[in-house]
Amino acid sequence: MTSVHDDYVIVELSQPDDFDGFRQAARVLLALGAEPEAVRWRWCQPLDSQMQAQDLFASDEVGSLAGRALTPDDLEVLPLPPSAPLRLGKHQLSTLRLACSHCDAGRYALCFRWLHRLQRQPLLRHDALDADWRQIERLAKAVGREIHKMHAFVRFRPATAPDGEPMQIAWFEPEHHGLRAASGFFRRRFPNMRWAILTPQCSVIWDLQQLHLAAGCTADQAPAADAGEALWLAYYRATFNPARLKEQAMQREMPRRYWKNLPEATLISELIGSARSRTQRMLQA
């Protein structure tokens, strides 16, 4: 089996957001003394055996990669020298987990480099201004914001499952790989409803018992609008208060890139345009 002391070793993760696999592989690599520059990280798309286009090391390195890619399970069987485990706090673990869901192709290399440095400099865990840690936090915050937006802006539409049972399906276009991290919110909120959230990268399905990961989809595979959506638009129009409109604050909370998949977004320009005159009429009345 390839040694981590050769030119480099490739660690093949199962998903773009495979933090558990990364954590497993990092533990072994740190115990073996692998240098960060000798480790390359790549990952599969969900339910897809082909490596993603962002894999920078699939063809541009000298020599064949055959037999040189190791999964975390492959690394687990390597004999490890005695070493003290690297312990992290809950906040550091959750920050690393979110950072590994970012779309940045170098996210795993960044996180492993910080862990490698932390192993040699234990006081680094207290350095909030460390450049690597600040970059990890920036990645994590971006993913956290998108997960929050997903919770707010996912809109389900009724559909029929392959077995003929009713199902609610939503379409969302995230920038990062946070769908699996966000799906627990929907499982807790809608435990008695069969639902699926489709995205270009991957999809999650709740069958009333467990969550399933599926391949990515396209927007035309999501259900079209129905009568219930018209009712929602009528409610949205009726509850809109023009006197409380703060357009800049609204666009901070509801960025324009999400509008195309929000049914109520079709009303926003109209409601904003009429807000001043409606407010004036309310004051006169």
Side-chain angles (χ1 to χ4, degrees):
M1 182 171 290
T2 303
S3 167
V4 296
H5 298 291
D6 290 343
D7 293 341
Y8 61 86
V9 61
I10 294 176
V11 180
E12 183 177 299
L13 302 174
S14 63
Q15 307 289 344
D17 60 336
D18 184 13
F19 177 74
D20 292 335
F22 167 77
R23 187 177 177 183
Q24 177 185 2
R27 181 184 64 82
V28 176
L29 292 169
L30 290 172
L32 292 173
E35 295 294 328
E37 59 270 17
V39 182
R40 312 293 168 86
W41 303 88
R42 71 182 190 185
W43 48 90
C44 294
Q45 292 290 5
L47 306 184
D48 187 347
S49 61
Q50 298 299 316
M51 302 317 300
Q52 64 169 25
Q54 290 181 327
D55 178 8
L56 305 179
F57 310 104
S59 60
D60 61 353
E61 295 287 350
V62 177
S64 171
L65 298 186
R68 303 190 67 181
L70 305 176
T71 67
D73 287 341
D74 292 332
L75 290 168
E76 194 71 45
V77 302
L78 295 177
L80 301 181
S83 61
L86 185 61
R87 301 191 183 280
L88 301 175
K90 289 183 179 180
H91 171 71
Q92 291 170 323
L93 275 175
S94 62
T95 300
L96 287 169
R97 183 181 293 275
L98 285 175
C100 288
S101 296
H102 199 278
C103 64
D104 190 311
R107 59 194 181 274
Y108 288 109
L110 170 67
C111 292
F112 183 69
R113 183 172 69 237
W114 181 78
L115 290 171
H116 182 269
R117 293 175 57 224
L118 179 63
Q119 184 185 49
R120 286 153 178 74
Q121 307 170 50
L123 293 180
L124 189 63
R125 71 179 68 248
H126 304 299
D127 187 357
L129 299 180
D130 177 73
D132 282 346
W133 181 250
R134 291 186 67 186
Q135 177 62 10
I136 290 169
E137 285 189 317
R138 282 192 285 269
L139 299 185
K141 287 178 180 178
V143 175
R145 284 193 297 268
E146 183 166 84
I147 290 174
H148 174 72
K149 300 303 182 188
M150 194 178 303
H151 292 165
F153 300 145
V154 159
R155 298 290 183 264
F156 288 103
R157 289 172 169 171
T160 302
D163 60 3
E165 293 295 319
M167 187 175 192
Q168 298 288 323
I169 297 180
W171 167 254
F172 194 79
E173 297 181 52
E175 181 179 358
H176 306 296
H177 302 284
L179 177 60
R180 289 202 297 173
S183 60
F185 168 85
F186 297 99
R187 177 178 55 80
R188 293 188 298 272
R189 187 171 184 180
F190 306 113
N192 300 318
M193 179 181 82
R194 297 179 69 183
W195 53 262
I197 301 175
L198 315 180
T199 79
Q201 296 97 339
C202 66
S203 305
V204 291
I205 302 168
W206 171 248
D207 65 0
L208 302 181
Q209 295 183 345
Q210 59 182 339
L211 286 169
H212 300 275
L213 187 66
C217 299
T218 56
D220 58 4
Q221 294 177 272
D226 70 327
E229 191 159 301
L231 183 62
W232 158 243
L233 293 179
Y235 171 80
Y236 187 85
R237 184 191 295 273
T239 57
F240 175 76
N241 186 343
R244 299 186 64 184
L245 175 64
K246 295 181 179 179
E247 188 173 352
Q248 290 184 343
M250 181 196 71
Q251 292 195 31
R252 282 197 302 270
E253 294 300 317
M254 186 189 292
R256 284 186 175 271
R257 74 183 187 90
Y258 296 110
W259 286 18
K260 63 180 178 178
N261 294 318
L262 289 174
E264 62 269 30
T266 59
L267 302 177
I268 290 177
S269 296
E270 172 197 339
L271 293 174
I272 290 175
S274 63
R276 182 171 297 179
S277 60
R278 288 181 60 190
T279 301
Q280 191 64 34
R281 289 196 299 270
M282 291 167 59
L283 292 173
Q284 291 172 351

